Amino acid sequence: MAADCIFCRIAAGTIPSTKVFEDDRVFAFRDLHPVAPTHVLVIPKEHIASTAHAVETHEALLGHLLLVAAKVAEQEGLAKGFRVVTNTGADGGQTVDHLHLHVLGGRSMTWPPG
């Protein structure tokens, strides 16, 4: 855990959030500024700054993040479809330096996304 990381503090429970899912490796919570009717962030409890900072030892955790994203989508009733997004780096739109997946749904998604 990085003491200065807002997502580490959310996962640790020191900053309140609306929890959607939690297990020993992952925490999922509602985004404070949703861009879709359903907008949930799925984060690893281990601090990894971004996908660019993931290494081979994170392989199982990265797969687990995607499985949890699918579980969250099912739990949220997104049977018609959903989008999973991860932003990496400033040019990729990343605003918090902690790897996170956005699970977006509840409306039709357009392409290209941005």
Side-chain angles (χ1 to χ4, degrees), residues 16-85:
S17 67
T18 304
K19 180 171 64 171
V20 173
F21 177 88
E22 181 176 17
D23 66 15
D24 61 326
R25 297 182 283 171
V26 172
F27 189 82
F29 58 99
R30 298 203 185 283
D31 194 295
L32 284 177
H33 305 287
V35 298
T38 298
H39 189 167
V40 175
L41 300 178
V42 180
I43 65 171
K45 289 184 176 180
E46 176 184 346
H47 183 82
I48 304 168
S50 73
T51 53
H53 294 86
V55 295
E56 285 186 30
T57 58
H58 294 129
E59 184 175 2
L61 177 58
L62 297 174
H64 186 63
L65 283 169
L66 285 173
L67 290 173
V68 169
K71 179 181 282 193
V72 164
E74 180 181 7
Q75 179 180 304
E76 293 291 311
L78 302 177
K80 291 177 69 176
F82 59 96
R83 180 171 286 165
V84 177
V85 176

